[in-house]
């Protein structure tokens, strides 16, 4: 089968479409013929070695985390999913990849594809959907009437997280450029700040939660808008000691991540705010719940561009420009 792989860390020319053996599902896995694969910023970071201390790959390794397709084979212990089922899943951090003609997927990471979505739409959802769910529901425990700040509202995470926060009953503020104001308002954003004209920390106040999606000093600035007892759930770091401990890392890595996050944690505590680094994990049960919201039309996928598999590298390059409104998807068939 064909797959997009990277052979070495650090060099773009080491990413290529190659022929590799078709995988065999393990007893608890399903084999999916991939129809579409959704791209995420981390797909560009992994080949550069950005997450080398955290994510372990046996090189050459397949790229891609999100997929939608049809089950062609199931392992001996699989009970919930059968051949012929249309599914979608995130296989991030599971040691395999989605940018291939076939992919191994643990049964507990997969969910049935919402029937009202095509494969491209379904493939755009898993990582942004699970990240939003785990950040806003599990970590921030967002409640009706609370206020949440979700910066970069027109991006892949932003377009989904705004809709989920509104479903949870929250009031949502976001940032975007002038050209995307109408888009984020259509998704439910209550307060929209054009970052080219205003600084969010000078406009917002008394917020209950921040979803950290922007690198640089945005996390520190967001502390100014939060009230005591609130939380920052950061997707962009710095990683903290709790994250290292949860992944079973050694003492040195726990110490190192504790050191990296010490400054932001100290500043957050001074304001009575909790800081938490979030690393998404696959979860088929949560994805099934997200699927019900998609089926009911409570949340809709937002897709910027679709590339054929032969242009997967161009798709990754386009995603890296940061100009995408919503998701970028690679269509396999």
């Amino acid at each position: 089968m064909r797959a997009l792989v990277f052979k070495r860390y650090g060099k773009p020319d080491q990413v290529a479409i190659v022929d590799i053996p078709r995988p065999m599902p393990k007893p608890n896995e399903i084999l999916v013929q991939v129809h579409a694969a959704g791209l995420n910023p981390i797909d560009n970071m992994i080949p550069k070695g950005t997450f080398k201390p955290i994510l372990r790959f046996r090189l050459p390794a397949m790229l891609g985390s999100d997929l939608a397709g049809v089950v062609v084979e199931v392992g001996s212990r699989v009970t919930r999913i059968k051949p012929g089922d249309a599914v979608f899943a995130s296989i991030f951090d599971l040691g395999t990849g989605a940018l291939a003609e076939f992919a191994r997927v643990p049964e507990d990471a997969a969910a049935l594809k919402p029937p009202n979505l095509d494969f491209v739409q379904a493939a755009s959802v898993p990582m942004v959907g699970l990240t939003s769910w785990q950040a806003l529901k599990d970590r921030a425990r967002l409640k009706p009437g609370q206020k949440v700040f979700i910066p970069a509202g027109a991006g892949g995470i932003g377009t989904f997280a705004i809709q989920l926060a509104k479903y949870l009953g929250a009031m949502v503020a976001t940032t975007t450029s002038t050209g995307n104001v109408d888009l984020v308002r259509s998704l439910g954003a209550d307060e929209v700040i054009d970052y080219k004209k205003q600084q969010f920390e000078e406009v917002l106040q008394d917020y209950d939660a921040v979803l950290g999606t922007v690198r640089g000093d945005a996390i520190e600035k967001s502390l100014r808008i939060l009230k005591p007892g609130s939380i920052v759930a950061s997707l962009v770091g710095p990683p903290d000691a709790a994250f290292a401990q949860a992944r079973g890392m050694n003492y040195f890595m726990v110490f190192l991540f504790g050191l990296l996050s010490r400054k932001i944690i100290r500043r957050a505590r001074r304001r009575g705010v909790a800081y938490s680094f979030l690393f998404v994990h696959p979860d088929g049960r949560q994805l099934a719940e997200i699927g019900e919201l998609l089926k009911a039309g409570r949340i809709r996928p937002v897709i910027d561009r679709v590339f054929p598999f032969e242009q997967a590298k161009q798709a990754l390059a386009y995603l890296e420009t940061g100009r995408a409104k919503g998701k970028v998807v690679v269509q396999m068939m």
Side-chain angles (χ1 to χ4, degrees), residues 48-60:
K48 295 176 182 177
T50 306
F51 286 90
K52 193 174 179 181
I54 299 174
L55 298 172
R56 298 294 182 182
F57 288 92
R58 181 178 297 175
L59 301 182

Side-chain angles (χ1 to χ4, degrees), residues 38-44 65-66 124 127-128 316 319 327-328:
L39 301 186
N40 299 281
I42 201 167
D43 297 326
N44 278 311
S65 302
D66 290 353
S124 75
M127 183 173 280
V128 295
L316 286 167
L319 178 65
K327 293 302 298 292
V328 178

Side-chain angles (χ1 to χ4, degrees), residues 127-137 157 160-161 164 211:
M127 183 173 280
V128 295
L130 289 169
T131 300
S132 302
W133 188 276
Q134 291 165 19
L136 300 179
K137 276 185 65 72
I157 287 285
F160 196 99
L164 179 61
L211 182 60

Side-chain angles (χ1 to χ4, degrees), residues 147-266:
K147 299 196 296 183
V148 60
F149 175 49
I150 301 171
I157 287 285
T159 52
F160 196 99
I162 288 171
Q163 296 180 82
L164 179 61
K166 293 304 297 181
Y167 167 75
L168 296 174
M171 181 271 190
V172 181
T174 191
T175 54
T176 194
S177 61
T178 307
N180 295 329
V181 169
D182 289 342
L183 169 62
V184 297
R185 286 200 184 281
S186 74
L187 299 173
D190 300 285
E191 185 156 7
V192 181
I193 297 167
D194 186 335
Y195 65 80
K196 295 183 178 180
K197 299 177 180 178
Q198 293 178 300
Q199 300 296 315
F200 73 84
E201 69 273 17
E202 297 174 359
V203 178
L204 307 178
Q205 59 183 356
D206 294 328
Y207 272 67
D208 300 282
V210 167
L211 182 60
T213 62
V214 179
R215 297 182 184 277
D217 60 357
I219 298 293
E220 287 195 22
K221 289 181 177 180
S222 71
L223 297 178
R224 304 180 202 173
I225 74 169
L226 289 166
K227 63 186 182 183
S230 57
I231 184 172
V232 175
S234 174
L235 311 179
V236 296
D240 53 18
F243 164 72
Q245 290 169 339
R247 290 184 69 84
M249 293 182 173
N250 60 39
Y251 173 80
F252 174 76
M253 294 302 291
V254 173
F255 173 78
L256 177 62
F257 285 178
L259 195 62
L260 290 173
S261 59
R262 183 173 61 179
K263 178 181 176 183
I264 187 65
I265 290 175
R266 184 171 62 244

